[in-house]
């Protein structure tokens, strides 16, 4: 080859072979989380809120995050969204999801669950109810009113 990483081949391999997935995860994830943590620590100096998105749950999430939110989407809805947005086959979606933590695992670590099965406006309203700005007001969706 030309020495470049073939992401589609690697993705297929790690979603089909648990041993390969564990090897790649063991090499990559510590480096990624080290970088995420460094960026977050730098950002928190000048921003009151720092958000990190991940499909994976850390072994000790409380060491890293003040709060963990789980964005829940029903399996069939997730599949349809992946097919539409990324062109994945249903089989690829299922393999990918099989390699991720279970819904129960996500919920076990979550401080807050967002239901992502409806319209985007409903998701934003859930975030608004949870997120309070330093001045006591809510985010842009509820600007000027206090959170419950």
């Amino acid at each position: 080859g030309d020495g470049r990483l073939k992401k589609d081949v690697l993705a297929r391999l790690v979603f089909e072979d648990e041993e390969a997935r564990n090897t790649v995860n063991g090499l990559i994830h510590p480096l990624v989380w080290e970088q995420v943590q460094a960026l977050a620590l730098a950002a928190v100096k000048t921003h009151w809120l720092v958000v990190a998105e991940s499909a994976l749950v850390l072994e000790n999430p409380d060491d890293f995050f003040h709060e963990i939110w789980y964005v829940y989407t029903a399996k069939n809805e997730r599949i349809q969204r992946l097919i539409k947005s990324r062109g994945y086959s249903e089989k690829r979606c299922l393999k990918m999801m099989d390699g991720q933590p279970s819904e129960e695992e996500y919920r076990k670590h979550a401080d807050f669950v967002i239901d992502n099965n409806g319209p985007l406006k409903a998701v934003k309203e859930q975030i608004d109810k949870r997120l309070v700005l330093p001045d006591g007001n809510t985010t842009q969706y509820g600007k000027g009113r206090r959170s419950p």
Side-chain angles (χ1 to χ4, degrees):
D2 59 11
R4 288 187 280 172
L5 178 66
K6 293 179 174 46
K7 292 180 188 177
D8 58 330
V9 174
L10 180 61
R12 193 170 25 253
L13 176 66
V14 298
F15 289 123
E16 292 178 5
D17 182 333
E18 185 175 356
E19 187 175 336
R21 180 173 51 252
N22 290 337
T23 298
V24 171
N25 288 350
L27 294 169
I28 301 297
H29 291 171
L31 298 172
V32 170
W33 282 112
E34 184 179 303
Q35 182 67 22
V36 169
Q37 189 170 26
L39 290 169
L41 289 172
V44 79
K45 292 176 184 174
T46 56
H47 296 79
W48 70 273
L49 175 69
V50 178
V51 176
E53 182 276 330
S54 175
L56 302 173
V57 178
L58 291 173
E59 287 184 28
N60 298 307
D62 294 334
D63 293 347
F64 190 85
F65 301 106
H66 293 284
E67 199 169 80
I68 295 177
W69 293 9
Y70 169 45
V71 180
Y72 167 73
T73 310
K75 191 172 195 173
N76 288 338
E77 181 67 22
R78 289 168 61 200
I79 291 168
Q80 292 309 309
R81 289 178 184 180
L82 287 167
I83 289 170
K84 184 177 179 182
S85 67
R86 298 187 188 175
Y88 290 177
S89 68
E90 183 174 351
K91 182 179 177 182
R92 181 172 183 187
C93 294
L94 291 168
K95 288 229 180 252
M96 183 175 69
M97 290 176 190
D98 287 345
Q100 295 175 341
S102 67
E103 179 184 343
E104 293 75 28
E105 184 70 15
Y106 284 122
R107 287 182 182 274
K108 181 173 82 173
H109 291 285
D111 297 296
F112 181 61
V113 177
I114 297 172
D115 183 338
N116 187 28
N117 291 290
L120 183 58
K121 181 178 179 180
V123 172
K124 289 179 178 181
E125 288 170 349
Q126 292 172 74
I127 293 169
D128 180 58
K129 287 179 183 173
R130 181 66 176 198
L131 194 60
V132 180
L133 299 170
D135 66 3
N137 288 317
T138 58
T139 59
Q140 70 180 38
Y141 235 71
K143 202 134 188 105
R145 68 176 172 80
R146 295 257 182 214
S147 284

